[in-house]
Amino acid sequence: MPSLSSTIPVCIPARWAARRFPGKLLSPWGGKTVLEAVIATAQESAIGPVIVLAADNRIQDALAKTDVQVERVAGDFLNGSE
């Protein structure tokens, strides 16, 4: 039986429309994009499956050729916490 911690999904909200830095998640950072770095950190934690909650087609398209689970979300989110 898996441990409780290995069954908890790690959900990463991924919006494009940030007020201060639109598209920040797909900007380069240390040889990866910001989103790739966040995903790698989440996967290394081994808490559970990593799911990106994409609020934009550009985010979804950027992850299309990866093994990362992407769920499309829709709404007028003011920030990633919503």
Side-chain angles (χ1 to χ4, degrees):
M1 179 162 106
S3 71
L4 178 61
S5 65
S6 67
T7 61
I8 299 169
V10 177
C11 296
I12 301 171
R15 296 172 52 248
W16 184 269
R19 287 186 189 148
R20 292 175 289 182
F21 192 168
K24 172 177 73 176
L25 292 177
L26 297 184
S27 296
W29 187 42
K32 301 178 182 183
T33 66
V34 172
L35 183 56
E36 289 169 334
V38 171
I39 290 168
T41 300
Q43 289 172 330
E44 289 169 9
S45 74
I47 293 172
V50 176
I51 304 168
V52 174
L53 305 175
D56 188 278
N57 287 336
R58 291 167 282 202
I59 302 289
Q60 189 173 11
D61 293 345
L63 297 173
K65 295 181 180 180
T66 70
D67 62 348
V68 176
Q69 182 179 345
V70 180
E71 295 294 331
R72 189 74 159 92
V73 295
D76 293 327
F77 306 109
L78 296 178
N79 56 51
S81 299
E82 287 190 347

